[in-house]
Amino acid sequence: MLKEFEGKSEKEAISKAMEALNLSSDEFEVEILPDDSKKFGFFKKNGVRIRVHVNDDVARTAAARPAHINTEYDENLINQGVEFVEKIISLMGYSGSVSVEQREDGKLVFNIDSDDSAILIGKQGKNLDALHLILNVYLSSICPENLESALPRVIVDSQDYRHRREEAIVRNALKNADQVVRSKSSRLLDPMPAFERRLVHTALSERHDIITQSEGEGNARQVRIIYKGSR
């Protein structure tokens, strides 16, 4: 599903999309659309226009949610989640403890403290991603159906990897954007999940010398950085 929204800033446009679609910001991909103000002669259009990409399954789930998602959670449910992750780590042959913190946006972060964090994180966070998926499936399976829509977004992290990964993605995006401008060409980044692609789009949205667009399908979807003068 594709939808377009406008706002005075990218943040405002995304907020409008979240409200209209009943989604959190990490459930859709945002594409910053080019400024078409030049098409209108002397009239300059202020603001930002975005195109929101939503997976059909996510859209159907959102349609079944209440208008205002309750982010309060059942303590017993979360404790079961903690025990589950610790058991998975043990079955993998490692030791570690799990603590939970709630972020300002209502998401729950399951932090793994382990001497084997590097292995549990894996290359480019692949093992963390797998633990994240398994935990979310487990919590959904034990959550009563009438409360499932109130289950908060859950993230698995270790050694603050997610934050460090986000910073690395932004630095790489800025570096590639500079290279694109110098070469007056385009550059295709490695495949990334939707959340990481959105980081790239957001990090480069304020630049006036390049534009970004997503290409490909599914897990192979990539971000292309394009020099504006080449189009």
Side-chain angles (χ1 to χ4, degrees), residues 2-15 17 28-36 45 47-53 194 196-215 221 223-226 228 231:
L2 300 177
K3 293 284 187 178
E4 293 186 8
F5 298 89
E6 294 182 2
K8 293 180 180 179
S9 65
E10 180 188 346
K11 184 177 180 180
E12 180 178 307
I14 291 175
S15 294
F28 55 79
E29 181 181 343
V30 176
E31 177 184 357
I32 309 298
L33 298 177
D35 183 5
D36 293 329
K45 183 179 179 181
V48 175
R49 188 161 57 97
I50 64 173
R51 180 178 292 130
V52 172
H53 301 251
E196 293 184 356
R197 293 196 302 272
R198 186 163 60 253
L199 283 174
V200 175
H201 291 307
T202 300
L204 301 180
S205 63
E206 298 299 321
R207 295 192 58 152
H208 304 294
D209 48 3
I210 55 97
I211 60 173
T212 60
Q213 64 183 35
S214 291
E215 300 179 1
R221 200 158 169 78
V223 175
R224 183 179 293 278
I225 304 174
I226 305 169
K228 260 191 176 180
R231 290 173 63 92

Side-chain angles (χ1 to χ4, degrees), residues 64-179:
R65 291 173 180 164
H68 300 286
I69 300 175
N70 178 17
T71 57
E72 293 183 0
Y73 58 90
D74 182 86
E75 196 71 35
N76 182 56
L77 190 72
I78 301 307
N79 287 337
Q80 290 183 69
V82 168
E83 293 175 1
F84 177 78
V85 175
E86 290 180 343
K87 182 177 180 180
I88 292 294
I89 293 173
S90 177
L91 290 173
M92 292 170 65
Y94 305 106
S95 61
S97 60
V98 178
S99 60
V100 180
E101 62 176 317
Q102 186 169 19
R103 296 198 327 200
E104 292 180 359
D105 57 7
K107 296 176 185 174
L108 293 180
V109 181
F110 283 66
N111 285 307
I112 301 173
D113 183 17
S114 171
D115 292 335
D116 301 300
S117 289
I119 298 174
L120 295 174
I121 291 171
K123 185 178 180 180
Q124 295 184 335
K126 296 298 184 182
N127 292 343
L128 270 187
D129 290 342
L131 288 169
H132 165 89
L133 176 61
I134 294 171
L135 174 60
N136 275 274
V137 170
Y138 173 73
L139 290 177
S140 294
S141 70
I142 65 173
C143 184
E145 290 186 8
N146 63 320
L147 296 178
E148 190 169 349
S149 63
L151 191 66
R153 301 289 294 177
V154 169
I155 298 172
V156 178
D157 198 3
S158 183
Q159 300 294 318
D160 201 29
Y161 170 81
R162 299 293 187 189
H163 179 67
R164 291 186 285 111
R165 171 69 176 166
E166 290 175 13
E167 290 184 332
I169 289 170
V170 171
R171 284 197 303 270
N172 184 60
L174 294 172
K175 176 182 176 181
N176 277 276
D178 289 339
Q179 292 173 343

